[in-house]
Each structure stands twice: as C-alpha cells, then as structure tokens.
Short mmCIF file of all heavy atoms in Angstrom, two decimals:
data_model
loop_
_atom_site.label_atom_id
_atom_site.label_comp_id
_atom_site.label_asym_id
_atom_site.label_seq_id
_atom_site.Cartn_x
_atom_site.Cartn_y
_atom_site.Cartn_z
N ILE A 243 94.04 -123.79 38.24
CA ILE A 243 94.34 -125.09 38.52
C ILE A 243 94.41 -125.24 40.00
O ILE A 243 95.17 -124.55 40.74
CB ILE A 243 95.69 -125.45 37.91
CG1 ILE A 243 95.70 -125.43 36.33
CG2 ILE A 243 96.25 -126.83 38.38
CD1 ILE A 243 96.96 -125.65 35.71
N ALA A 244 93.57 -126.11 40.51
CA ALA A 244 93.39 -126.35 41.98
C ALA A 244 94.08 -127.74 42.33
O ALA A 244 93.97 -128.65 41.58
CB ALA A 244 91.98 -126.35 42.38
N ILE A 245 94.84 -127.65 43.45
CA ILE A 245 95.51 -128.91 43.87
C ILE A 245 95.02 -129.28 45.26
O ILE A 245 95.08 -128.42 46.20
CB ILE A 245 97.02 -128.65 43.82
CG1 ILE A 245 97.41 -128.27 42.37
CG2 ILE A 245 97.76 -129.89 44.27
CD1 ILE A 245 98.85 -127.56 42.35
N GLY A 246 94.72 -130.49 45.40
CA GLY A 246 94.32 -130.94 46.76
C GLY A 246 94.89 -132.34 47.08
O GLY A 246 95.37 -133.07 46.13
N GLY A 247 94.94 -132.69 48.29
CA GLY A 247 95.29 -134.07 48.69
C GLY A 247 96.79 -134.21 48.75
O GLY A 247 97.40 -135.30 49.06
N VAL A 248 97.62 -133.04 48.62
CA VAL A 248 99.03 -133.16 48.69
C VAL A 248 99.56 -132.18 49.82
O VAL A 248 100.74 -132.10 50.06
CB VAL A 248 99.74 -132.81 47.35
CG1 VAL A 248 99.33 -133.99 46.40
CG2 VAL A 248 99.41 -131.44 46.84
N ALA A 249 98.66 -131.50 50.45
CA ALA A 249 99.03 -130.58 51.53
C ALA A 249 97.92 -130.54 52.53
O ALA A 249 96.82 -131.13 52.26
CB ALA A 249 99.35 -129.17 50.96
N PRO A 250 98.11 -129.86 53.60
CA PRO A 250 96.99 -129.87 54.67
C PRO A 250 95.77 -129.22 54.12
O PRO A 250 94.65 -129.53 54.52
CB PRO A 250 97.60 -129.01 55.77
CG PRO A 250 99.03 -129.25 55.67
CD PRO A 250 99.30 -129.42 54.18
N THR A 251 95.92 -128.21 53.23
CA THR A 251 94.73 -127.57 52.64
C THR A 251 94.97 -127.49 51.12
O THR A 251 96.04 -127.35 50.59
CB THR A 251 94.52 -126.07 53.16
OG1 THR A 251 95.72 -125.39 52.84
CG2 THR A 251 94.30 -126.17 54.68
N PRO A 252 93.84 -127.54 50.36
CA PRO A 252 93.94 -127.35 48.92
C PRO A 252 94.27 -125.89 48.62
O PRO A 252 94.07 -125.04 49.40
CB PRO A 252 92.56 -127.69 48.39
CG PRO A 252 91.72 -128.14 49.47
CD PRO A 252 92.54 -127.82 50.85
N TRP A 253 94.92 -125.81 47.42
CA TRP A 253 95.16 -124.46 46.90
C TRP A 253 95.09 -124.28 45.44
O TRP A 253 95.11 -125.33 44.71
CB TRP A 253 96.60 -123.94 47.42
CG TRP A 253 97.71 -124.56 46.71
CD1 TRP A 253 98.31 -123.98 45.67
CD2 TRP A 253 98.48 -125.68 46.91
NE1 TRP A 253 99.44 -124.73 45.18
CE2 TRP A 253 99.57 -125.85 46.02
CE3 TRP A 253 98.32 -126.64 47.91
CZ2 TRP A 253 100.43 -126.82 46.01
CZ3 TRP A 253 99.23 -127.73 47.95
CH2 TRP A 253 100.24 -127.86 46.95
N ARG A 254 95.00 -123.13 44.99
CA ARG A 254 94.97 -122.71 43.61
C ARG A 254 96.41 -122.29 43.09
O ARG A 254 96.97 -121.54 43.79
CB ARG A 254 94.01 -121.70 43.22
CG ARG A 254 93.87 -121.29 41.83
CD ARG A 254 92.66 -120.34 41.67
NE ARG A 254 92.69 -119.90 40.28
CZ ARG A 254 91.85 -118.95 39.85
NH1 ARG A 254 91.00 -118.35 40.63
NH2 ARG A 254 91.97 -118.62 38.64
N SER A 255 96.86 -122.84 42.05
CA SER A 255 98.12 -122.50 41.49
C SER A 255 98.02 -121.56 40.45
O SER A 255 97.84 -121.85 39.28
CB SER A 255 98.96 -123.77 41.11
OG SER A 255 100.16 -123.37 40.54
N HIS A 256 98.19 -120.25 40.78
CA HIS A 256 98.10 -119.23 39.75
C HIS A 256 99.27 -119.24 38.87
O HIS A 256 99.23 -118.83 37.78
CB HIS A 256 98.01 -117.74 40.46
CG HIS A 256 96.81 -117.60 41.31
ND1 HIS A 256 95.50 -117.24 40.67
CD2 HIS A 256 96.55 -117.79 42.57
CE1 HIS A 256 94.68 -117.20 41.59
NE2 HIS A 256 95.18 -117.51 42.77
N GLU A 257 100.40 -119.73 39.37
CA GLU A 257 101.67 -119.83 38.61
C GLU A 257 101.45 -120.92 37.50
O GLU A 257 101.85 -120.63 36.38
CB GLU A 257 102.84 -120.33 39.59
CG GLU A 257 103.21 -119.28 40.57
CD GLU A 257 102.39 -119.47 41.79
OE1 GLU A 257 101.51 -120.25 41.94
OE2 GLU A 257 102.64 -118.67 42.75
N ALA A 258 100.77 -121.92 37.77
CA ALA A 258 100.46 -122.97 36.71
C ALA A 258 99.55 -122.40 35.64
O ALA A 258 99.76 -122.61 34.52
CB ALA A 258 99.92 -124.25 37.34
N GLU A 259 98.55 -121.76 36.14
CA GLU A 259 97.64 -121.09 35.12
C GLU A 259 98.42 -120.05 34.29
O GLU A 259 98.20 -120.07 32.99
CB GLU A 259 96.53 -120.47 35.86
CG GLU A 259 95.63 -121.37 36.61
CD GLU A 259 94.67 -120.79 37.58
OE1 GLU A 259 94.53 -119.42 37.70
OE2 GLU A 259 93.87 -121.45 38.30
N ALA A 260 99.20 -119.22 34.85
CA ALA A 260 99.96 -118.33 34.09
C ALA A 260 100.89 -118.96 33.13
O ALA A 260 101.13 -118.32 31.99
CB ALA A 260 100.82 -117.42 35.03
N ALA A 261 101.46 -120.09 33.35
CA ALA A 261 102.36 -120.78 32.51
C ALA A 261 101.58 -121.32 31.22
O ALA A 261 102.20 -121.63 30.23
CB ALA A 261 102.98 -122.01 33.23
N LEU A 262 100.30 -121.32 31.28
CA LEU A 262 99.47 -121.75 30.17
C LEU A 262 99.01 -120.62 29.20
O LEU A 262 98.66 -120.81 28.04
CB LEU A 262 98.26 -122.61 30.58
CG LEU A 262 98.49 -123.92 31.26
CD1 LEU A 262 97.28 -124.49 31.94
CD2 LEU A 262 99.24 -124.87 30.30
N VAL A 263 98.88 -119.47 29.75
CA VAL A 263 98.35 -118.36 28.95
C VAL A 263 99.12 -118.03 27.79
O VAL A 263 100.35 -117.87 27.77
CB VAL A 263 98.29 -117.04 29.93
CG1 VAL A 263 97.87 -115.85 29.20
CG2 VAL A 263 97.44 -117.32 31.09
N GLY A 264 98.39 -118.08 26.67
CA GLY A 264 98.94 -117.64 25.36
C GLY A 264 99.75 -118.73 24.72
O GLY A 264 100.40 -118.57 23.70
N ARG A 265 99.78 -120.00 25.29
CA ARG A 265 100.45 -121.09 24.72
C ARG A 265 99.42 -122.16 24.14
O ARG A 265 98.39 -122.38 24.69
CB ARG A 265 101.33 -121.77 25.74
CG ARG A 265 102.36 -120.88 26.32
CD ARG A 265 103.24 -121.54 27.37
NE ARG A 265 104.16 -122.55 26.62
CZ ARG A 265 105.05 -123.22 27.30
NH1 ARG A 265 105.15 -123.16 28.56
NH2 ARG A 265 105.79 -124.15 26.57
N PRO A 266 99.84 -122.78 23.01
CA PRO A 266 99.00 -123.86 22.50
C PRO A 266 98.98 -125.04 23.43
O PRO A 266 99.85 -125.16 24.26
CB PRO A 266 99.70 -124.13 21.23
CG PRO A 266 101.02 -123.75 21.32
CD PRO A 266 101.04 -122.66 22.24
N ALA A 267 98.00 -125.84 23.35
CA ALA A 267 97.83 -127.07 24.15
C ALA A 267 98.74 -128.14 23.69
O ALA A 267 98.41 -128.95 22.81
CB ALA A 267 96.40 -127.58 24.11
N THR A 268 100.02 -128.09 24.12
CA THR A 268 101.04 -129.08 23.85
C THR A 268 101.58 -129.71 25.11
O THR A 268 101.49 -129.14 26.12
CB THR A 268 102.21 -128.31 23.08
OG1 THR A 268 102.88 -127.45 24.01
CG2 THR A 268 101.71 -127.58 21.91
N PRO A 269 102.17 -130.87 24.91
CA PRO A 269 102.88 -131.51 26.06
C PRO A 269 103.89 -130.63 26.75
O PRO A 269 103.98 -130.62 28.02
CB PRO A 269 103.60 -132.79 25.41
CG PRO A 269 102.69 -133.06 24.19
CD PRO A 269 102.32 -131.72 23.69
N ALA A 270 104.63 -129.84 26.02
CA ALA A 270 105.62 -128.94 26.58
C ALA A 270 104.86 -127.84 27.41
O ALA A 270 105.38 -127.46 28.61
CB ALA A 270 106.44 -128.18 25.54
N ALA A 271 103.81 -127.25 27.04
CA ALA A 271 102.99 -126.31 27.78
C ALA A 271 102.49 -127.03 29.05
O ALA A 271 102.46 -126.35 30.17
CB ALA A 271 101.90 -125.73 27.00
N PHE A 272 101.96 -128.29 28.96
CA PHE A 272 101.46 -128.93 30.12
C PHE A 272 102.56 -129.18 31.18
O PHE A 272 102.31 -129.09 32.38
CB PHE A 272 100.73 -130.29 29.64
CG PHE A 272 99.63 -130.10 28.64
CD1 PHE A 272 99.24 -131.00 27.86
CD2 PHE A 272 98.84 -128.84 28.63
CE1 PHE A 272 98.28 -130.87 26.96
CE2 PHE A 272 97.90 -128.58 27.79
CZ PHE A 272 97.52 -129.65 26.87
N ALA A 273 103.73 -129.60 30.62
CA ALA A 273 104.76 -129.89 31.55
C ALA A 273 105.30 -128.62 32.29
O ALA A 273 105.62 -128.69 33.51
CB ALA A 273 105.99 -130.44 30.79
N ALA A 274 105.32 -127.49 31.52
CA ALA A 274 105.67 -126.18 32.21
C ALA A 274 104.69 -125.82 33.30
O ALA A 274 105.07 -125.32 34.30
CB ALA A 274 105.71 -125.11 31.14
N ALA A 275 103.38 -126.00 32.93
CA ALA A 275 102.37 -125.73 33.97
C ALA A 275 102.53 -126.69 35.23
O ALA A 275 102.33 -126.23 36.37
CB ALA A 275 100.91 -125.86 33.37
N ALA A 276 102.81 -127.87 34.93
CA ALA A 276 102.97 -128.84 36.07
C ALA A 276 104.17 -128.54 36.89
O ALA A 276 104.10 -128.55 38.12
CB ALA A 276 103.06 -130.25 35.52
N ALA A 277 105.21 -128.06 36.26
CA ALA A 277 106.46 -127.67 37.07
C ALA A 277 106.11 -126.40 37.84
O ALA A 277 106.55 -126.22 39.04
CB ALA A 277 107.56 -127.34 36.13
N ALA A 278 105.34 -125.45 37.28
CA ALA A 278 105.05 -124.28 37.88
C ALA A 278 104.09 -124.52 39.13
O ALA A 278 104.19 -123.89 40.14
CB ALA A 278 104.34 -123.27 36.98
N ALA A 279 103.26 -125.50 38.95
CA ALA A 279 102.31 -125.92 40.02
C ALA A 279 102.89 -126.39 41.30
O ALA A 279 102.41 -126.27 42.45
CB ALA A 279 101.38 -126.92 39.56
N THR A 280 104.26 -126.93 41.11
CA THR A 280 104.98 -127.54 42.19
C THR A 280 106.06 -126.59 42.78
O THR A 280 106.75 -126.98 43.67
CB THR A 280 105.59 -128.94 41.85
OG1 THR A 280 106.38 -128.76 40.75
CG2 THR A 280 104.35 -129.89 41.59
N THR A 281 106.11 -125.38 42.23
CA THR A 281 107.09 -124.44 42.65
C THR A 281 106.90 -124.15 44.12
O THR A 281 105.74 -123.91 44.66
CB THR A 281 107.08 -123.15 41.90
OG1 THR A 281 107.18 -123.45 40.48
CG2 THR A 281 108.01 -122.10 42.49
N GLY A 282 107.95 -124.33 44.97
CA GLY A 282 107.81 -124.10 46.44
C GLY A 282 107.41 -125.17 47.18
O GLY A 282 107.41 -125.21 48.41
N MET A 283 106.99 -126.34 46.51
CA MET A 283 106.64 -127.56 47.28
C MET A 283 107.89 -128.24 47.75
O MET A 283 108.87 -128.24 47.13
CB MET A 283 105.80 -128.54 46.44
CG MET A 283 104.42 -128.20 46.15
SD MET A 283 103.54 -129.38 45.11
CE MET A 283 103.25 -130.63 46.14
N HIS A 284 107.86 -128.89 48.89
CA HIS A 284 108.90 -129.63 49.51
C HIS A 284 108.35 -130.77 50.27
O HIS A 284 107.39 -130.57 51.04
CB HIS A 284 109.89 -128.77 50.25
CG HIS A 284 109.39 -128.07 51.38
ND1 HIS A 284 108.70 -126.83 51.24
CD2 HIS A 284 109.29 -128.29 52.74
CE1 HIS A 284 108.27 -126.45 52.49
NE2 HIS A 284 108.62 -127.35 53.34
N GLY A 285 108.96 -131.84 50.18
CA GLY A 285 108.56 -133.10 50.92
C GLY A 285 109.18 -133.14 52.39
O GLY A 285 110.16 -132.31 52.64
N TYR A 286 108.72 -134.04 53.16
CA TYR A 286 109.19 -134.25 54.38
C TYR A 286 109.49 -135.76 54.58
O TYR A 286 109.19 -136.35 55.64
CB TYR A 286 108.14 -133.93 55.52
CG TYR A 286 107.85 -132.43 55.51
CD1 TYR A 286 106.76 -131.89 54.77
CD2 TYR A 286 108.65 -131.54 56.15
CE1 TYR A 286 106.53 -130.53 54.73
CE2 TYR A 286 108.37 -130.17 56.12
CZ TYR A 286 107.31 -129.65 55.41
OH TYR A 286 107.06 -128.31 55.49
N GLY A 287 110.19 -136.31 53.56
CA GLY A 287 110.74 -137.74 53.67
C GLY A 287 109.67 -138.67 53.15
O GLY A 287 109.74 -138.99 51.92
N LYS A 288 108.73 -139.06 53.97
CA LYS A 288 107.76 -139.99 53.51
C LYS A 288 106.77 -139.52 52.52
O LYS A 288 106.08 -140.35 51.87
CB LYS A 288 107.05 -140.64 54.74
CG LYS A 288 107.99 -141.52 55.70
CD LYS A 288 107.20 -142.12 56.76
CE LYS A 288 108.12 -142.91 57.59
NZ LYS A 288 107.44 -143.62 58.62
N ASN A 289 106.66 -138.22 52.33
CA ASN A 289 105.65 -137.75 51.47
C ASN A 289 106.36 -137.06 50.21
O ASN A 289 105.73 -136.34 49.43
CB ASN A 289 104.69 -136.80 52.02
CG ASN A 289 105.34 -135.50 52.47
OD1 ASN A 289 106.53 -135.30 52.43
ND2 ASN A 289 104.53 -134.47 52.72
N ASP A 290 107.61 -137.33 50.03
CA ASP A 290 108.38 -136.74 48.83
C ASP A 290 107.66 -137.07 47.49
O ASP A 290 107.76 -136.26 46.55
CB ASP A 290 109.75 -137.15 48.89
CG ASP A 290 110.63 -136.55 49.98
OD1 ASP A 290 110.18 -135.58 50.68
OD2 ASP A 290 111.71 -137.02 50.16
N PHE A 291 107.10 -138.12 47.52
CA PHE A 291 106.46 -138.69 46.24
C PHE A 291 105.30 -137.84 45.72
O PHE A 291 104.91 -137.78 44.55
CB PHE A 291 105.88 -140.17 46.39
CG PHE A 291 104.69 -140.21 47.29
CD1 PHE A 291 103.44 -140.31 46.75
CD2 PHE A 291 104.81 -140.19 48.70
CE1 PHE A 291 102.30 -140.23 47.54
CE2 PHE A 291 103.68 -140.33 49.41
CZ PHE A 291 102.42 -140.34 48.87
N LYS A 292 104.78 -137.06 46.67
CA LYS A 292 103.69 -136.20 46.31
C LYS A 292 104.05 -135.05 45.28
O LYS A 292 103.14 -134.63 44.56
CB LYS A 292 102.98 -135.68 47.55
CG LYS A 292 102.25 -136.75 48.32
CD LYS A 292 101.41 -136.02 49.47
CE LYS A 292 100.66 -137.02 50.20
NZ LYS A 292 99.71 -136.48 51.22
N ILE A 293 105.21 -134.65 45.25
CA ILE A 293 105.66 -133.75 44.32
C ILE A 293 105.67 -134.19 42.99
O ILE A 293 105.02 -133.63 42.03
CB ILE A 293 107.09 -133.10 44.69
CG1 ILE A 293 107.06 -132.39 46.09
CG2 ILE A 293 107.56 -132.16 43.61
CD1 ILE A 293 108.38 -132.17 46.65
N THR A 294 106.19 -135.45 42.81
CA THR A 294 106.20 -136.08 41.36
C THR A 294 104.72 -136.36 41.14
O THR A 294 104.29 -136.19 39.87
CB THR A 294 107.06 -137.35 41.45
OG1 THR A 294 108.39 -136.90 41.75
CG2 THR A 294 107.00 -138.01 40.12
N LEU A 295 104.05 -136.98 42.03
CA LEU A 295 102.52 -137.21 41.85
C LEU A 295 101.84 -136.03 41.27
O LEU A 295 100.97 -136.08 40.35
CB LEU A 295 101.96 -137.83 43.12
CG LEU A 295 100.42 -138.16 42.98
CD1 LEU A 295 100.19 -139.28 41.95
CD2 LEU A 295 100.00 -138.52 44.35
N THR A 296 102.00 -134.82 41.99
CA THR A 296 101.36 -133.65 41.52
C THR A 296 101.74 -133.29 40.16
O THR A 296 100.78 -132.99 39.33
CB THR A 296 101.69 -132.49 42.54
OG1 THR A 296 101.24 -132.82 43.81
CG2 THR A 296 100.95 -131.17 42.08
N ARG A 297 102.93 -133.35 39.72
CA ARG A 297 103.36 -132.98 38.35
C ARG A 297 102.68 -133.85 37.42
O ARG A 297 102.15 -133.51 36.35
CB ARG A 297 104.94 -133.07 38.24
CG ARG A 297 105.63 -131.92 38.90
CD ARG A 297 107.13 -132.05 38.61
NE ARG A 297 107.70 -130.97 39.40
CZ ARG A 297 108.81 -131.21 40.13
NH1 ARG A 297 109.36 -132.40 40.21
NH2 ARG A 297 109.33 -130.23 40.93
N ARG A 298 102.72 -135.20 37.60
CA ARG A 298 102.15 -136.09 36.78
C ARG A 298 100.65 -135.89 36.68
O ARG A 298 99.97 -136.07 35.53
CB ARG A 298 102.37 -137.59 37.16
CG ARG A 298 103.82 -137.95 36.94
CD ARG A 298 104.10 -139.35 37.49
NE ARG A 298 105.50 -139.74 37.27
CZ ARG A 298 106.03 -140.76 37.75
NH1 ARG A 298 105.34 -141.62 38.59
NH2 ARG A 298 107.28 -141.02 37.59
N THR A 299 99.93 -135.75 37.76
CA THR A 299 98.44 -135.51 37.75
C THR A 299 98.13 -134.22 37.02
O THR A 299 97.13 -134.26 36.23
CB THR A 299 97.97 -135.49 39.24
OG1 THR A 299 98.37 -136.69 39.85
CG2 THR A 299 96.48 -135.39 39.23
N VAL A 300 98.80 -133.20 37.26
CA VAL A 300 98.46 -131.87 36.52
C VAL A 300 98.67 -132.08 35.08
O VAL A 300 97.80 -131.67 34.25
CB VAL A 300 99.35 -130.67 37.10
CG1 VAL A 300 99.20 -129.49 36.14
CG2 VAL A 300 98.87 -130.44 38.52
N THR A 301 99.77 -132.72 34.69
CA THR A 301 100.02 -132.98 33.29
C THR A 301 98.92 -133.85 32.64
O THR A 301 98.38 -133.50 31.56
CB THR A 301 101.38 -133.63 33.06
OG1 THR A 301 102.44 -132.85 33.64
CG2 THR A 301 101.73 -133.89 31.63
N ARG A 302 98.57 -134.91 33.28
CA ARG A 302 97.58 -135.76 32.74
C ARG A 302 96.16 -135.11 32.62
O ARG A 302 95.39 -135.27 31.61
CB ARG A 302 97.40 -137.02 33.55
CG ARG A 302 96.39 -138.02 33.01
CD ARG A 302 96.88 -138.57 31.59
NE ARG A 302 95.85 -139.46 31.13
CZ ARG A 302 95.46 -139.37 29.85
NH1 ARG A 302 95.89 -138.56 29.01
NH2 ARG A 302 94.55 -140.27 29.48
N ALA A 303 95.87 -134.27 33.63
CA ALA A 303 94.56 -133.63 33.72
C ALA A 303 94.49 -132.58 32.48
O ALA A 303 93.48 -132.45 31.77
CB ALA A 303 94.26 -132.94 34.96
N LEU A 304 95.57 -131.82 32.22
CA LEU A 304 95.69 -131.01 31.15
C LEU A 304 95.57 -131.63 29.81
O LEU A 304 95.00 -131.19 28.89
CB LEU A 304 96.87 -130.05 31.28
CG LEU A 304 96.88 -129.17 32.39
CD1 LEU A 304 98.20 -128.44 32.54
CD2 LEU A 304 95.80 -128.02 32.34
N GLU A 305 96.25 -132.87 29.67
CA GLU A 305 96.20 -133.59 28.48
C GLU A 305 94.77 -134.03 28.20
O GLU A 305 94.29 -133.94 27.06
CB GLU A 305 97.04 -134.89 28.53
CG GLU A 305 98.51 -134.62 28.57
CD GLU A 305 99.38 -135.86 28.89
OE1 GLU A 305 98.82 -136.89 29.30
OE2 GLU A 305 100.62 -135.79 28.71
N LEU A 306 94.01 -134.44 29.15
CA LEU A 306 92.57 -134.84 28.95
C LEU A 306 91.70 -133.71 28.58
O LEU A 306 90.87 -133.92 27.66
CB LEU A 306 92.04 -135.40 30.29
CG LEU A 306 92.60 -136.85 30.61
CD1 LEU A 306 92.19 -137.28 32.03
CD2 LEU A 306 92.22 -137.84 29.55
N VAL A 307 91.81 -132.54 29.20
CA VAL A 307 91.05 -131.36 28.77
C VAL A 307 91.48 -130.74 27.54
O VAL A 307 90.76 -130.03 26.89
CB VAL A 307 90.91 -130.32 29.92
CG1 VAL A 307 90.21 -130.97 31.13
CG2 VAL A 307 92.21 -129.69 30.26
N GLY A 308 92.78 -131.00 27.13
CA GLY A 308 93.32 -130.34 25.96
C GLY A 308 93.01 -131.14 24.63
O GLY A 308 93.34 -130.64 23.47
N GLU A 309 92.57 -132.35 24.88
CA GLU A 309 92.29 -133.20 23.64
C GLU A 309 91.15 -132.65 22.86
O GLU A 309 90.13 -132.17 23.38
CB GLU A 309 92.05 -134.68 24.01
CG GLU A 309 93.15 -135.33 24.58
CD GLU A 309 92.83 -136.83 25.09
OE1 GLU A 309 91.63 -137.20 25.04
OE2 GLU A 309 93.79 -137.52 25.47
N PRO A 310 91.23 -132.70 21.49
CA PRO A 310 90.16 -132.33 20.71
C PRO A 310 88.91 -133.29 20.89
O PRO A 310 89.05 -134.47 21.16
CB PRO A 310 90.60 -132.39 19.29
CG PRO A 310 92.05 -132.70 19.37
CD PRO A 310 92.40 -133.12 20.75
N ALA A 311 87.79 -132.68 20.92
CA ALA A 311 86.51 -133.37 21.01
C ALA A 311 86.11 -134.30 19.96
O ALA A 311 86.58 -134.15 18.88
CB ALA A 311 85.39 -132.43 21.38
#
C-alpha cells in the first residue's frame, strides 16, 4: 500500500499490508489496514485533516479492489 500526497515524499506502508495478510476482505480488515497505514503520522495544525483523509482513502481503495468482479 503506497501513500502519497500527505507528506513530503510518498511511502509504502508495510504495516498496512501486514494488517491484511491472512484476513478476509472485510470492512474490519480494511479499517485495520487504514489504521496501520497512519501509525506514526502526526499533523502540524493546518494539515491534521490528512490523517483522517488517508484512513478514508485507504479504506475506500481496499473496498474497491476487494469487491467481487
């Protein structure tokens, strides 16, 4: 899971990926991955919203790819 646009440089969240391993594609698994993706993030006042935005974006992206075809 790669995250960009919320920090000076994009990064890959190995923690978020690990949160999905061995779990079924469920909303709870997606929420756990999104929470893991934001571990260690902190805002600086005017950009605090990016933490919530990142969680919502990761969750939604996983929902989209986890849907049956």
